[in-house]
Each structure stands twice: as structure tokens, then as C-alpha cells.
Amino acid sequence: GRMTDQARGTAGAASSRRTIEIAKAILEAIPAKAIGAGERWRWRRHGTSRSPCESVSAWCAAATLVGWSCETSANAFTVASSRSTKSSTLARKCGSAAAVRVGQAVGRRDAEGARFAGWTAILLGALFMAVMGALFLLVPRVILRAFTTDLHITDAGVGLLFIAAVFQMFDGVQTVSTGALRGLGDTHTPMLCNLIGYWIIGLPVGYWLCFEK
């Protein structure tokens, strides 16, 4: 069956909230003229990373699109995406650590230390995500059966976990890299990369593959 009104409302609310956060981030990027000419963008000055807004809101939008197809697909997507999101927790922590260590090295004017801290965090995040990707490939049904006994959802989820396994390491690298760049004071570059990757490329291609192909 198709997605219920309650599920559609929940997905729509989550997606709308993240979209508003992106709009707020864009407004914060407007030069703060009141502070004085030549001042850097408020966004960069505060060092706030907005890239998670683009990624999470894109996931919410993807969940809404999946829900338009059928209930089984929506349920399988929910389970698979929750596992994929949980697996990236350590990568996000590595990104936070990279932001701190790189920022400290930059403050000491230690370019070599900043480089070492950034690459170490990226390597750790990539290794962990590679292990999680291997688990998604080797034991997908074991993972899915911890959340559902419905064979239709499990069958659909296996394919989704395969896709998740493919992008795990890449997702880990970009997550940690975002933190390292935040330590350097650059949040503009990851924001643009996430915005283009998720909203301009990812979602339109996903929509075409799901509904048009």
C-alpha cells in the first residue's frame, strides 16, 4: 500500500524543518555589514558547519519520495537508512575530533601538526566505515532481522544495505573531512559540496531511477 497520511506528514515535517535550517544558514552567510567593511562572512567567522543540514534534509526528502512508491519500500528504507546513519556515528565523532585538533594546530601555527591530525582522523574514519560496509555486505539479513521479521521488507532491505555498503567509506571520508576543514575555518567548501552532491545531483537522479526509469 501507499504511505499513510501520518507517515507522509512526519516525513514532510522533518524535511521542511531541515530545509528551513538550510535557508537560515544561507541567510547567515550574508556579509555582516553592521560589523564593518571587509569583515569575513558571519558564517565563516563563527566556524559553524552547515553541511549536516543538507545531508539530513536530503535523507528526509528521499524518505518522502520512497514513501510514494509503496509501504514495503518505505519500511525497508527506514531500517536500512537507520543502520547506515548509526554506522556513521564514529565518523562524525572523528570529524569533531579533527576539527578540534586541526584548529589547535592552526592556532599554534603548526602546519605539519594540522596536516597529521586531519589525515589521521580521515584514515580512522575511513577504516571504521570500511568495516561497517563489509558487515552490510556479508550479513545483511542478520542486521535486518534484528528489526523486522517481514520477509518482504528484509528482501528489499538487502539491496538497500548493499548500496549503503558501497558508499560507507566515502561517506566516512567526507564526514571527517568536513570536520578537518572546519578546524581550518572553512565551512563554505563542504557546504557547497554537500548542497550540490545531495540536492542538485543525488535527489534528482534518485527520483529518476525510482519513478521515471
Side-chain angles (χ1 to χ4, degrees):
R2 300 184 68 81
M3 184 168 62
T4 64
D5 291 338
Q6 293 89 340
R8 186 181 294 108
T10 301
S15 181
S16 298
R17 173 174 171 268
R18 293 299 180 176
T19 302
I20 291 173
E21 288 185 2
I22 294 176
K24 178 176 178 290
I26 293 175
L27 290 176
E28 288 180 353
I30 298 175
K33 296 181 180 180
I35 298 179
E39 184 68 40
R40 299 184 70 184
W41 282 7
R42 200 181 322 167
W43 194 346
R44 291 186 180 183
R45 188 177 63 255
H46 288 170
T48 303
S49 175
R50 295 295 179 179
S51 57
C53 295
E54 290 90 40
S55 61
V56 175
S57 59
W59 276 104
C60 293
T64 303
L65 292 177
V66 171
W68 289 347
S69 58
C70 69
E71 184 177 351
T72 299
S73 297
N75 290 332
F77 178 84
T78 299
V79 175
S81 62
S82 69
R83 294 309 88 202
S84 175
T85 302
K86 288 298 182 182
S87 70
S88 64
T89 299
L90 181 60
R92 290 195 297 271
K93 300 305 181 183
C94 285
S96 298
V100 174
R101 295 293 301 276
V102 170
Q104 290 176 341
V106 170
R108 297 193 304 268
R109 300 183 182 277
D110 181 5
E112 186 61 32
R115 188 178 300 109
F116 178 78
W119 282 111
T120 300
I122 290 173
L123 178 60
L124 289 175
L127 287 175
F128 174 77
M129 295 296 276
V131 171
M132 296 306 300
L135 290 176
F136 289 167
L137 286 175
L138 297 174
V139 290
R141 294 187 182 276
V142 174
I143 295 173
L144 293 168
R145 284 172 184 163
F147 299 91
T148 180
T149 56
D150 190 314
L151 293 179
H152 297 291
I153 296 177
T154 301
D155 291 339
V158 169
L160 293 175
L161 282 182
F162 174 81
I163 296 174
V166 173
F167 72 70
Q168 283 298 288
M169 189 168 67
F170 301 102
D171 186 45
V173 169
Q174 71 89 13
T175 299
V176 182
S177 298
T178 297
L181 287 172
R182 187 163 67 247
L184 288 173
D186 181 7
T187 60
H188 187 64
T189 300
M191 186 280 295
L192 288 178
C193 291
N194 277 271
L195 188 64
I196 294 172
Y198 283 105
W199 284 96
I200 297 179
I201 299 176
L203 276 176
V205 171
Y207 178 88
W208 178 75
L209 291 174
C210 187
F211 297 104
E212 301 295 336
K213 185 176 179 181

